[in-house]
Amino acid sequence: MTRVVTTMDNIIQETIDYTRQRKIFKQPVLYHQAVHFRLAELQTEVELLRSLLYHASAMYIKGNDVTKLASMAKLKGGRLARELSDSCLQYWGGMGYTSEVPVSRFYRDSRLMSIGAGADEVMLGIICKYMDTLPKK
């Protein structure tokens, strides 16, 4: 999961660099408030995910059961990867659909995070089990 967080950091930075160069209405795309605010929101979400991963790691090292935290991290990581790749891809315009740019590959590949090794619904079921919110049988 830390590799994905690093990739998300890199995608945001590459998007910042690209939108600083790409111009629309005679100014860089990055200078539009909606763009730099959205990138700030995404970076905030990445930092929150990183904090969750660090917390889960520290708890694991202390010998605690981190199944719920790991499930939360996988759920959030997969959803954030899709959200981030979709938002950043939008700012790349047509260039975002070329296979040469990492945001395009990340957009394609990030979908697997919510499917592989346990779908989002499986992660939600695990989280609910640990929260004791599942219906009693």
Side-chain angles (χ1 to χ4, degrees), residues 100-111:
E100 297 89 47
V101 293
V103 70
S104 175
R105 293 189 300 277
F106 189 62
Y107 180 80
R108 178 196 66 209
D109 297 343
S110 63
R111 187 65 183 105

Side-chain angles (χ1 to χ4, degrees), residues 65-96:
D65 178 10
V66 294
T67 305
K68 181 173 93 170
L69 293 175
S71 299
M72 289 175 167
K74 184 179 179 315
L75 176 68
K76 181 61 178 176
R79 290 181 173 181
L80 179 57
R82 290 196 317 270
E83 180 184 357
L84 186 143
S85 62
D86 184 65
S87 291
C88 289
L89 185 72
Q90 184 72 29
Y91 301 137
W92 283 77
M95 272 300 292

Side-chain angles (χ1 to χ4, degrees), residues 6-23:
T6 301
T7 300
M8 286 192 249
D9 281 335
N10 292 339
I11 294 295
I12 291 172
Q13 188 56 54
E14 288 176 13
T15 301
I16 290 169
D17 295 343
Y18 181 75
T19 56
R20 188 172 277 133
Q21 295 171 6
R22 182 175 176 224
K23 295 196 177 197

Side-chain angles (χ1 to χ4, degrees), residues 1 5 8 45 48-56 59 65-81 113-114 117-133:
M1 185 65 72
V5 171
M8 286 192 249
E45 292 292 323
L48 288 169
L49 178 59
R50 188 184 332 271
S51 293
L52 176 57
L53 291 171
Y54 288 166
H55 175 64
M59 297 296 287
D65 178 10
V66 294
T67 305
K68 181 173 93 170
L69 293 175
S71 299
M72 289 175 167
K74 184 179 179 315
L75 176 68
K76 181 61 178 176
R79 290 181 173 181
L80 179 57
M113 287 183 59
S114 292
D120 284 359
E121 293 75 16
V122 173
M123 295 303 108
L124 287 166
I126 293 168
I127 296 164
C128 289
K129 178 182 173 186
Y130 277 82
M131 292 174 62
D132 194 29
T133 60

